[in-house]
Amino acid sequence: MVDVFNSGIIFFCMLFQRMPFARAVSTDKFYKYLAGDRPDFFWEMHKRDKLKIDSVSEECRTLLASMLGIDPLMRPSISEILAHSFFTKN
């Protein structure tokens, strides 16, 4: 069994050389937007915090947000991750 949430954190760290949030709690300034199903605000807050989010594709950001989602049952499986457009697009 793969821990998709922690894999998402590692993936984020590999891309941006920093953590996606301090703690996975609804009061964290970044995580609260993932918990509230607002990944657009999650990315906007990172952009305001000087993260170069435009250095990765929209497909990548969508995949990361789904891997870091609050509900484990809604996170993609490894098969779904590998079939995601981030990996299959050219």
Side-chain angles (χ1 to χ4, degrees), residues 5-6 26-27 31 36 39 49 61 65 68 73 75-78 81:
F5 184 79
N6 284 325
S26 61
T27 56
Y31 191 74
D49 203 41
R61 292 192 299 267
L68 296 172
L73 298 176
R75 293 181 198 141
S77 67
I78 287 299
I81 290 169

Side-chain angles (χ1 to χ4, degrees), residues 5-79:
F5 184 79
N6 284 325
S7 297
I9 291 172
I10 293 167
F11 187 27
F12 187 98
C13 291
M14 289 172 57
L15 291 169
F16 299 111
Q17 291 77 51
R18 67 192 266 187
M19 295 292 287
F21 38 79
R23 293 184 54 214
V25 295
S26 61
T27 56
D28 181 90
K29 83 176 198 176
F30 295 112
Y31 191 74
K32 68 182 177 182
Y33 296 112
L34 293 173
D37 199 27
R38 290 306 308 255
D40 52 333
F41 287 155
F42 170 79
W43 292 112
E44 182 58 33
M45 288 301 295
H46 273 295
K47 190 173 186 175
R48 290 180 187 176
D49 203 41
K50 308 290 188 244
L51 186 70
K52 295 183 182 345
I53 65 165
D54 296 328
S55 66
V56 298
S57 67
E58 181 65 31
E59 288 91 358
C60 182
R61 292 192 299 267
T62 301
L63 176 59
L64 273 168
S66 68
M67 293 172 74
L68 296 172
I70 193 167
D71 184 354
L73 298 176
M74 297 303 295
R75 293 181 198 141
S77 67
I78 287 299
S79 299

